Amino acid sequence: MSFRSRRTVTDHVEDVSPGSGVLPPRARYASSDAMSLSLNGSWRFRLSRTADAEDDSFAEPGYDAGDWTEVTVPGHWVLQGHGSPIYTNHLYPFPVDPPRVPTENPTGDHLRVFDLPADWPADGDAALRFDGVESCARVWLNGTDLGEFKGSRLPHEFTVGHLLRPAGNVLAVRVHQWSAGSYLEDQDQWWLPGIFRDVTLLHRPAACVQDFFVHASYDHATGAGTLRVDSDVAGRVTVPALDIDVATGEPATVPVRPWTAETPVLYDGVLATGGERVPLRIGFRTVELSDGLIKVNGRPVLFKGVNRHEWHPEKGRALDLDTMREDVLLMKRHNINAVRTSHYPPHPAFLDLCDEYGLWVIDECDLETHGFVEQDWRDNPVDDDRWTPALLDRAARMVERDKNHPSVVMWSLGNEAGTGRGLTAMAEWIHGRDPSRPLHYEGDRDCRDTDVYSRMYAFHEEVERIGEGLDGGAHRRRGLPFILCEYGHAMGNGPGGLADYQRLFERYDRLQGGFVWEWIDHGIKDDRYGYAYGGDFGEELHDGNFVCDGLLFPDRSPSPGLIEYKKVIEPVRIEGGGEGSDSTVRVTNLQDFADLSALAFEWSYQVEGETVEAGALSVPALAPGESADVKLPGPPEGPGGETHWTVRALLAADTAWAPKGHVVAWGQAVVAPRTPPSVPATERPVRGPAGDLITLGPAVFDARTGALRRVGEVEVTGLRLDVWRAPTDNDDGAEWQTGTRYGLLWRRLGLHRMRHRPDAVEASEDALTVRTRVAPAARELGLATVYRWTSDGERLRLTVSVSPEGDWTVPLPRLGIRFGLSAADEVRWYGGGPGEAYPDTRSASLVARWDATVDGLQTPYVRPQENGARADVRWARLGGLRIEGDPEFWLTARRWTSEQLDAARHLTDLTPATASDSGSAAGVWVNLDHAQHGIGSQSCGPGPLPQYFLRAEPTEFSFVFSATG
Ligand code: IPT
């Protein structure tokens, strides 16, 4: 240190201590009658490359910051044109030498001058609160150094009343991107420095409320709630609707309606001390561990959850209230009932919304030291006593801030931090401070400190063993309930296999559900790429698009994964009922608390996908867990055809989160099956006058190669067998996955560069047969493929027979045909829709008539990959063709080839195919697939289950083409 000549203010940056000068943590409340002043807005800003480039003279009143730039608070300076974001999953983007950080330590000096409102009370004190600053801040008010803190997603307050002036207060905050605290904040997300949550000045009147703890329990045996509010400053607690008026510390027991995520009943109350009145929103509920299960109000709950990082494509983790509300509304509308606040306490307003709308919350501490896994967890701060005060500080700041939320039903120590004494110390402190909530942490398989056995990405098979209690493990663990705190990795196309997990959760009591990873893609809006991901800012170390693994696209539009999840976790199951009776529907209430009285049911019949009759269905208000067989009106009479019934459960009235009529659940079943198309082979192939063409019914072929040229007036190019799909993130899998990563194997085998060798073009009495061999260079294996064309004069039938040759040990990506059409815009089909589906992501695919444009068929995965297939298609019309399948097929149509899709890194790389790319005039490429390989979740979890494999085996399938003119 001797060479430091200038006065520096940076020693705390590399200090393991949590901070100095800050007030003890306390309960957070949204409002009170004490005055407050938001200091959000535009602040003066200066960025330095190192922590000590500038001295602290900027904090002095009178400092001229006229040449500084400006940033918006809350915000991250790297998203406001100063420096760049960095994305790493678990690697520290700096040398691991705790608690030291790099010399290059972007440091943002923030200045804000403010006046007090004219009516700011002259008496009392004041507190200055920071709700979140990444990663380390030092604060001065009017030239006085208040102190410094770390713990990015946790609140910190200072006492400042004695320093305030009526006007011209100078608030100076120096923020360092890297600090000792960064070692505790190695979550899988963008590194985004800045004052990213609110800054508020709070008046603190004499005898104001300080910390308080609302204990509101529910006795399910008696229906009584007991309220006791412990408060540092004595006062009274009133709840008018319950006639409660008691002193703080005194219990009151009265009959109440309990709070649950399904029935979020909140009672308005007031905590009044001599100097302040704080509105309370009280939810009565009791969480307990009994019979080895997590029970709320006496009943086990099933978590249908998501992991939620805070994300906005332009503002990063600086979320406004509307965005938070949008998240909650989207969750409720998609049947989600639980949130793990991965991996830090969220903005406090988010928890208010969870209380209000009803979501179970696992509140997770701001702690992750994942990067230490690279050195076998050596020097892990959570197992080093020097860091324990910082860990305890983080635990306390979370628990004290959030303890009064009924929605918070579990605390979590953090994520991916290994094991160690520091975690045990946190657990002991939390258990002591709040014995009313179970404690979660996934990182310790023995569950020494926790009350629930939690895992991430466990395969179905293991989850089933755990459900059966056959997983062994530590004695303590064997008696605990199980949750998957992360599963169903929603990266790119997928996740597959959700329905298979849900079946297990429903079958075994011990399995209390899970939390899909994760809620939203963290793509950054970017002029160059649409949405940027890791590496797009020139990071020297990054993890690419692993940061885009959400159920929502960055703009919060639902991805097919969310639509699938909504269907899989629907709170009511509607299925074909009673034995052999096609007009009975079995309805099961899968909720844990509410009966079905909030729902209205509707039945309808579809003939050939068109609704012909519909009406209201009366369903008893089944209690949770109950089922009933409900009779449907008889199926429609008249001209037959494939017939389905569809029953929907809709909201019977407006709710806080969706309007009346919102579809909550549905079921569909076949009443009369489909008759496959039959095309009598009445036509014979005829060679044209020049000898170079063959005509068969409406079709024209190349006589030499047997290639289809036209159907009626519709030109068709490049029709041939296709087995390739642009690998999905789940096909490629994550590096550390032990299972076979088929995406890589497919490419190694050359399935993306299959060669097609025509061996024979045979014209017979009633058919044109083209024999080919489809195989990649350098390999002996191949697919003997025969195209057999017949016609009845109007229609053209193609039967494709595929016989694998050689040693096929890998599944195929897809199996079908592809061809180019010169143009197509509107697409109409009868089959599964409206959205994309793959073998293990098809729960939400409803059979009906659907319309879309070719562009509308595309799913905009941030990193382009296979997408957009529609399942169970009976027939489709596009580009002047009608195509009917025997059997049903998967339909995909896009303005680019699979090869272009495969090569694209961002959506902006995808431009409509032109004649020069394809060597033809095709504008739209169509895939008609007989089969697709499953999707799975191998980007961070299991691959597709065996039943979703597309194995190479002898296969035959047909399509019937006609020109629609
Ligand atoms: C797991 C992490 O907990 C989570 O933060 C995220 O990184 C997720 O994976 C993948 O997107 S850790 C995983 C390597 C098991």
Side-chain angles (χ1 to χ4, degrees):
M1 304 294 140
S2 53
F3 51 84
R4 270 192 196 164
S5 51
R6 284 208 289 165
R7 183 170 159 220
T8 61
V9 284
T10 57
D11 288 347
H12 65 289
V13 174
E14 296 183 326
D15 190 325
V16 296
S17 83
S20 62
V22 288
L23 288 166
R26 63 185 184 115
R28 166 69 183 226
Y29 43 92
S31 67
S32 90
D33 63 348
M35 208 169 208
S36 68
L37 176 67
S38 168
L39 297 173
N40 294 346
S42 185
W43 290 48
R44 286 283 180 182
F45 180 75
R46 170 181 68 188
L47 182 62
S48 313
R49 288 167 175 277
T50 63
D52 59 359
E54 303 283 352
D55 65 21
D56 59 4
S57 56
F58 78 104
E60 295 298 332
Y63 179 88
D64 180 7
D67 58 344
W68 290 22
T69 174
E70 291 191 355
V71 289
T72 298
V73 170
H76 306 279
W77 68 71
V78 292
L79 297 184
Q80 299 185 48
H82 311 286
S84 306
I86 300 170
Y87 167 57
T88 58
N89 167 9
H90 75 275
L91 297 177
Y92 289 103
F94 47 77
V96 178
D97 181 22
R100 302 295 309 277
V101 296
T103 306
E104 301 79 20
N105 188 357
T107 292
D109 289 330
H110 295 68
L111 258 188
R112 163 92 201 230
V113 179
F114 64 93
D115 299 340
L116 293 179
D119 53 349
W120 190 267
D123 60 339
D125 201 344
L128 176 63
R129 183 177 66 206
F130 293 86
D131 281 316
V133 182
E134 179 168 333
S135 80
C136 166
R138 176 161 222 118
V139 183
W140 296 261
L141 183 63
N142 293 332
T144 299
D145 182 356
L146 298 177
E148 35 78 23
F149 61 85
K150 307 182 188 80
S152 298
R153 297 105 202 172
L154 293 162
H156 296 88
E157 286 181 315
F158 297 97
T159 292
V160 296
H162 59 296
L163 299 172
L164 287 175
R165 305 167 183 167
N169 292 285
V170 177
L171 177 56
V173 185
R174 169 163 289 181
V175 181
H176 304 286
Q177 171 154 21
W178 309 120
S179 70
S182 305
Y183 283 98
L184 305 182
E185 295 173 5
D186 192 23
Q187 292 95 340
D188 173 10
Q189 59 181 350
W190 295 99
W191 298 88
L192 297 177
I195 305 176
F196 73 99
R197 286 187 189 156
D198 313 276
V199 183
T200 316
L201 183 70
L202 304 157
H203 180 239
R204 306 311 299 134
C208 63
V209 167
Q210 287 174 19
D211 190 27
F212 63 97
F213 200 156
V214 176
H215 303 278
S217 59
Y218 179 73
D219 182 340
H220 65 277
T222 63
T226 298
L227 175 68
R228 193 189 78 231
V229 179
D230 294 333
S231 174
D232 284 0
V233 175
R236 285 205 80 73
V237 178
T238 48
V239 186
L242 296 174
D243 271 337
I244 291 177
D245 184 350
V246 290
T248 52
E250 224 177 78
T253 300
V254 292
V256 297
R257 289 164 61 213
W259 188 97
T260 73
E262 293 167 12
T263 56
V265 179
L266 293 175
Y267 290 95
D268 286 320
V270 174
L271 164 63
T273 59
E276 190 176 15
R277 291 170 60 81
V278 173
L280 305 176
R281 305 213 75 193
I282 302 159
F284 291 88
R285 57 150 197 54
T286 292
V287 188
E288 62 178 339
L289 222 62
S290 91
D291 310 322
L293 298 174
I294 303 163
K295 295 186 183 173
V296 179
N297 304 336
R299 295 197 204 167
V301 291
L302 188 59
F303 296 112
K304 301 166 176 180
V306 287
N307 281 278
R308 176 182 178 268
H309 266 292
E310 295 182 312
W311 189 250
H312 185 282
E314 287 160 283
K315 297 178 192 150
R317 288 187 286 274
L319 259 58
D320 55 38
L321 189 60
D322 284 344
T323 305
M324 293 185 239
R325 190 185 302 273
E326 199 180 341
D327 277 349
V328 169
L329 293 178
L330 280 165
M331 287 177 192
K332 293 292 289 186
R333 289 174 190 159
H334 290 89
N335 295 333
I336 287 162
N337 73 0
V339 188
R340 172 176 177 233
T341 69
S342 54
H343 301 302
Y344 42 81
H347 188 289
F350 180 74
L351 298 178
D352 294 332
L353 295 167
C354 293
D355 293 344
E356 183 182 332
Y357 291 94
L359 287 166
W360 309 115
V361 175
I362 300 182
D363 195 358
E364 188 150 278
C365 198
D366 191 4
L367 175 62
E368 173 157 345
T369 62
H370 205 162
F372 285 87
V373 72
E374 293 290 313
Q375 52 197 60
D376 288 329
W377 298 104
R378 242 181 349 270
D379 301 329
N380 185 0
V382 307
D383 199 23
D384 177 339
D385 294 337
R386 288 173 300 171
W387 292 83
T388 304
L391 303 181
L392 289 172
D393 181 72
R394 284 169 188 251
R397 284 186 190 280
M398 168 179 72
V399 171
E400 300 301 7
R401 191 193 76 165
D402 295 342
K403 59 187 179 288
N404 294 330
H405 289 282
S407 57
V408 175
V409 290
M410 257 192 258
W411 300 115
S412 174
L413 296 179
N415 184 59
E416 294 279 8
T419 56
R421 301 187 297 272
L423 290 168
T424 301
M426 290 170 81
E428 282 172 359
W429 185 87
I430 295 175
H431 274 131
R433 177 63 176 147
D434 181 17
S436 80
R437 290 175 173 103
L439 185 68
H440 169 270
Y441 174 62
E442 183 271 348
D444 177 10
R445 294 259 172 118
D446 293 338
C447 302
R448 279 169 297 199
D449 301 321
T450 61
D451 303 309
V452 48
Y453 176 31
S454 173
R455 289 281 301 283
M456 43 174 76
Y457 310 106
F459 289 22
H460 299 78
E461 205 187 345
E462 188 187 4
V463 171
E464 177 145 34
R465 272 204 313 282
I466 296 170
E468 291 169 330
L470 300 177
D471 57 309
H475 181 262
R476 174 172 168 75
R477 188 178 93 184
R478 295 206 293 273
L480 296 181
F482 177 81
I483 62 166
L484 276 170
C485 69
E486 293 178 24
Y487 80 114
H489 197 247
M491 184 180 184
N493 185 335
L498 290 177
D500 309 272
Y501 276 113
Q502 195 64 25
R503 274 194 285 278
L504 296 174
F505 299 159
E506 288 173 15
R507 185 170 323 139
Y508 299 101
D509 291 344
R510 187 188 186 193
L511 309 181
Q512 292 200 263
F515 296 77
V516 165
W517 186 269
E518 66 174 304
W519 178 235
I520 184 169
D521 288 343
H522 311 206
I524 296 181
K525 200 158 181 347
D526 186 288
D527 290 342
R528 300 164 298 169
Y529 302 125
Y531 292 109
Y533 52 79
D536 288 339
F537 299 97
E539 300 105 294
E540 62 177 16
L541 216 56
H542 67 84
D543 288 289
N545 67 315
F546 203 64
V547 77
C548 291
D549 52 2
L551 294 173
L552 294 180
F553 293 112
D555 66 357
R556 286 193 156 65
S557 54
S559 91
L562 183 58
I563 308 301
E564 170 79 3
Y565 195 39
K566 176 188 177 186
K567 178 75 179 104
V568 164
I569 59 176
E570 58 193 7
V572 190
R573 173 128 328 129
I574 300 167
E575 48 199 354
E579 270 160 46
S581 59
D582 48 14
S583 42
T584 302
V585 52
R586 169 156 297 176
V587 179
T588 307
N589 181 357
L590 296 172
Q591 297 173 107
D592 296 321
F593 299 93
D595 68 18
L596 294 187
S597 55
L599 300 177
F601 290 77
E602 270 178 19
W603 62 270
S604 58
Y605 280 105
Q606 288 78 34
V607 176
E608 297 289 309
E610 301 225 79
T611 298
V612 293
E613 283 177 26
L617 186 68
S618 141
V619 174
L622 303 170
E626 277 184 0
S627 297
D629 285 331
V630 183
K631 194 111 192 76
L632 288 177
E637 316 233 322
E642 186 181 25
T643 306
H644 287 88
W645 62 246
T646 306
V647 170
R648 291 186 167 81
L650 326 163
L651 288 181
D654 290 351
T655 65
W657 47 271
K660 175 180 173 177
H662 165 83
V663 178
V664 167
W666 58 268
Q668 185 175 57
V670 176
V671 181
R674 166 175 189 241
T675 320
S678 108
V679 181
T682 56
E683 299 299 294
R684 65 177 293 168
V686 180
R687 201 172 269 266
D692 57 342
L693 297 175
I694 294 176
T695 307
L696 174 65
V700 177
F701 296 84
D702 183 307
R704 197 172 47 83
T705 62
L708 178 68
R709 290 278 188 77
R710 278 193 285 119
V711 180
E713 296 306 308
V714 182
E715 278 187 51
V716 178
T717 51
L719 188 149
R720 60 192 202 187
L721 190 81
D722 194 10
V723 296
W724 179 244
R725 72 183 183 197
T728 64
D729 293 315
N730 286 315
D731 288 338
D732 283 341
E735 281 162 37
W736 63 84
Q737 294 291 5
T738 47
T740 310
R741 299 165 63 197
Y742 285 111
L744 307 191
L745 214 53
W746 290 336
R747 210 183 286 275
R748 209 173 308 147
L749 214 53
L751 299 190
H752 60 306
R753 47 174 170 75
M754 298 293 260
R755 294 307 177 103
H756 297 249
R757 186 186 71 207
D759 287 335
V761 179
E762 301 163 358
S764 70
E765 272 304 290
D766 60 354
L768 177 70
T769 303
V770 182
R771 300 182 190 280
T772 68
R773 188 170 190 274
V774 181
R779 307 286 170 197
E780 61 174 355
L781 50 69
L783 300 166
T785 303
V786 179
Y787 306 84
R788 185 164 190 276
W789 300 93
T790 56
S791 174
D792 63 358
E794 291 282 304
R795 293 174 297 166
L796 177 71
R797 182 181 184 110
L798 165 64
T799 299
V800 183
S801 311
V802 181
S803 311
E805 294 176 344
D807 190 12
W808 279 95
T809 52
V810 298
L812 296 169
R814 68 172 354 123
L815 182 65
I817 56 165
R818 88 167 198 198
F819 54 87
L821 294 177
S822 56
D825 189 17
E826 302 296 323
V827 184
R828 165 144 255 249
W829 75 99
Y830 171 35
E836 120 187 346
Y838 287 83
D840 51 352
T841 64
R842 61 187 294 166
S843 310
S845 177
L846 177 81
V847 175
R849 299 251 185 133
W850 302 104
D851 290 295
T853 59
V854 169
D855 291 333
L857 289 176
Q858 314 308 309
T859 306
Y861 294 115
V862 172
R863 185 192 72 84
Q865 52 197 278
E866 166 65 25
N867 73 83
R870 300 306 193 270
D872 301 314
V873 176
R874 279 86 167 137
W875 57 254
R877 296 167 77 125
L878 77 166
L881 283 184
R882 182 179 195 279
I883 305 150
E884 192 164 0
D886 181 12
E888 296 81 50
F889 60 94
W890 304 82
L891 171 69
T892 309
R894 42 175 80 106
R895 296 193 189 282
W896 33 81
T897 60
S898 296
E899 289 72 18
Q900 289 170 303
L901 188 60
D902 189 14
R905 288 192 59 244
H906 294 94
L907 285 166
T908 45
D909 296 335
L910 288 173
T911 46
T914 61
S916 57
D917 315 313
S918 55
S920 76
V924 170
W925 288 93
V926 181
N927 275 91
L928 310 178
D929 289 308
H930 175 63
Q932 278 267 1
H933 185 60
I935 294 293
S937 190
Q938 210 184 5
S939 57
C940 196
L945 290 169
Q947 60 268 37
Y948 305 117
F949 269 51
L950 168 46
R951 295 181 205 284
E953 55 196 17
T955 313
E956 194 171 280
F957 50 91
S958 303
F959 303 103
V960 175
F961 298 87
S962 46
T964 55

